[in-house]
Amino acid sequence: MKAWKVILSLLLATVFVPARAEEKFDMTGFIFGHIGDAYEWHITEIGGKEISIPLPCIVIDDGLHVFSSHKMAEHGYTLNENGKLVNAVTGERPLDISITKNVLGLLFDSALLVLLILLCAGWYRKHDVLKEKPTGLAALLEPVIVMIEQDVIKDAVGPEYKKFSPYLLTAFFFILINNLMGIFPVFPGGANITGNIAVTGVLAVFTFLMVNLFGNKHYWKDILWPDVPVFLKAIPVMPLIEILGMFTKPFSLMIRLFANMLAGHIMLLSVIALIFLTASMGPVLNGSMTLVAALFGIFLDCLEILVAFIQAYVFTMLSSVFIGLAHQTPEHETN
């Protein structure tokens, strides 16, 4: 849920402020309700009526059960205080593999990424790049692909960069598309995918595997038997520190992307929440703050377009650096 979607919803909601002026505004619920996962895709609220798209719930609890989230109670399930699906009788959580908002957004964005790449590849199959310049989607993607591969991946990874370019370019565009779709105001945009630590954690695990599964013998020597005084290796102090570093690098990737995207969502929603916080302070103040919040929200949304690219770039750059460090060779062997 991003600025335009929130702004449109709240501007419509201000028409009904007098009827709700005495209600206490739950800012925490408002913010975390928008950035959290859900079993339905909330679109907007008009006249106190929520407009949302129900999503399929798939649970394994004494058998496989598939039902719409709007019929959850009819099938004996409810949501606990954390918004998780539980058995209405026992209160226990079943094995939940439901298509939630984040899952659906992730599937859509992944399909969109595949479609864009296939369309771009299709242009190159039909045209001779030595005789004509790219047009359309190919002209849009080629400069970005060349920049990331030549200026980031090649410089950081080294001579073997072509082996890792497919993964690193995929990670870059995957993060970028999910970031941008989070800014898009209406369905199927607005899902907080890269602000979900499970998603950024999986990306970090992929980088961890690429670094450690394909690291050369010098990389493992520097970890298990680094060039330090023998007593530091015999205890062993430095090997333990190096092994810990193997895990802290991908952990920092996970937290950096998650925290930056989540913070952007929270900051934006906090600004928009001023509309409801001032609802009971009179039409003049509320109207003024509505305008200020809307304009500042649009500014933050434009800023997040830049942040979306920067975070994808930083993740790809750091992943390239970590992979490159795992493929360095001593200078005396390269001479």
Side-chain angles (χ1 to χ4, degrees), residues 128-277:
D128 187 351
V129 295
L130 299 178
K131 297 181 179 179
E132 56 183 309
K133 63 182 180 180
T135 58
L137 182 62
L140 176 65
L141 294 181
E142 182 181 298
V144 181
I145 294 172
V146 172
M147 179 194 72
I148 296 299
E149 184 175 51
Q150 297 298 318
D151 297 340
V152 178
I153 300 174
K154 183 178 180 181
D155 290 346
V157 175
E160 300 181 2
Y161 75 96
K162 287 189 177 180
K163 289 198 305 184
F164 303 97
S165 287
Y167 162 68
L168 293 168
L169 285 169
T170 301
F172 172 81
F173 281 104
F174 176 81
I175 295 171
L176 179 62
I177 286 178
N178 280 287
N179 288 349
L180 293 176
M181 287 299 291
I183 300 172
F184 192 69
V186 295
F187 178 85
N192 182 31
I193 296 174
T194 46
N196 187 313
I197 198 168
V199 175
T200 61
V202 170
L203 290 171
V205 168
F206 286 157
T207 295
F208 174 81
L209 294 176
M210 296 294 285
V211 171
N212 293 285
L213 291 181
F214 301 101
N216 60 22
K217 62 181 181 180
H218 302 288
Y219 168 72
W220 288 106
K221 177 184 177 298
D222 288 339
I223 290 177
L224 301 176
W225 199 255
D227 293 328
V228 295
V230 176
F231 74 90
L232 291 177
K233 294 184 283 190
I235 296 178
V237 176
M238 290 305 299
L240 290 176
I241 294 175
E242 293 292 339
I243 292 172
L244 180 62
M246 291 170 52
F247 297 94
T248 56
K249 290 174 183 176
F251 181 79
S252 67
L253 286 177
M254 174 185 70
I255 296 299
R256 180 181 288 104
L257 178 58
F258 160 72
N260 278 282
M261 299 312 300
L262 184 65
H265 289 215
I266 293 176
M267 182 171 61
L268 175 60
L269 290 168
S270 298
V271 171
I272 301 302
L274 291 174
I275 298 174
F276 282 160
L277 288 173

Side-chain angles (χ1 to χ4, degrees), residues 24-220:
K24 185 178 180 181
F25 177 61
D26 181 10
M27 187 168 182
T28 302
F30 168 75
I31 293 176
F32 286 95
H34 283 92
I35 64 176
D37 204 359
Y39 291 90
E40 62 181 12
W41 200 302
H42 178 79
I43 304 298
T44 187
E45 181 179 340
I46 300 178
K49 181 179 180 181
E50 289 192 4
I51 300 175
S52 60
I53 300 174
L55 300 177
C57 295
I58 307 172
V59 298
I60 300 177
D61 183 18
D62 295 330
L64 179 66
H65 303 275
V66 182
F67 50 89
S68 168
S69 60
H70 282 186
K71 297 182 178 181
M72 190 180 297
E74 297 178 14
H75 289 78
Y77 295 95
T78 186
L79 299 179
N80 61 14
E81 62 276 7
N82 297 319
K84 301 299 183 180
L85 188 146
V86 297
N87 189 298
V89 178
T90 63
E92 297 180 354
R93 287 196 62 190
L95 179 59
D96 189 358
I97 53 174
S98 303
I99 306 298
T100 61
K101 178 181 177 180
N102 284 348
V103 173
L104 181 61
L106 187 62
L107 293 174
F108 179 87
D109 295 350
S110 299
L112 178 61
L113 174 59
V114 172
L115 177 63
L116 292 176
I117 297 303
L118 290 179
L119 290 175
C120 183
W123 187 94
Y124 285 97
R125 284 195 298 267
K126 298 176 182 178
H127 299 82
D128 187 351
V129 295
L130 299 178
K131 297 181 179 179
E132 56 183 309
K133 63 182 180 180
T135 58
L137 182 62
L140 176 65
L141 294 181
E142 182 181 298
V144 181
I145 294 172
V146 172
M147 179 194 72
I148 296 299
E149 184 175 51
Q150 297 298 318
D151 297 340
V152 178
I153 300 174
K154 183 178 180 181
D155 290 346
V157 175
E160 300 181 2
Y161 75 96
K162 287 189 177 180
K163 289 198 305 184
F164 303 97
S165 287
Y167 162 68
L168 293 168
L169 285 169
T170 301
F172 172 81
F173 281 104
F174 176 81
I175 295 171
L176 179 62
I177 286 178
N178 280 287
N179 288 349
L180 293 176
M181 287 299 291
I183 300 172
F184 192 69
V186 295
F187 178 85
N192 182 31
I193 296 174
T194 46
N196 187 313
I197 198 168
V199 175
T200 61
V202 170
L203 290 171
V205 168
F206 286 157
T207 295
F208 174 81
L209 294 176
M210 296 294 285
V211 171
N212 293 285
L213 291 181
F214 301 101
N216 60 22
K217 62 181 181 180
H218 302 288
Y219 168 72
W220 288 106

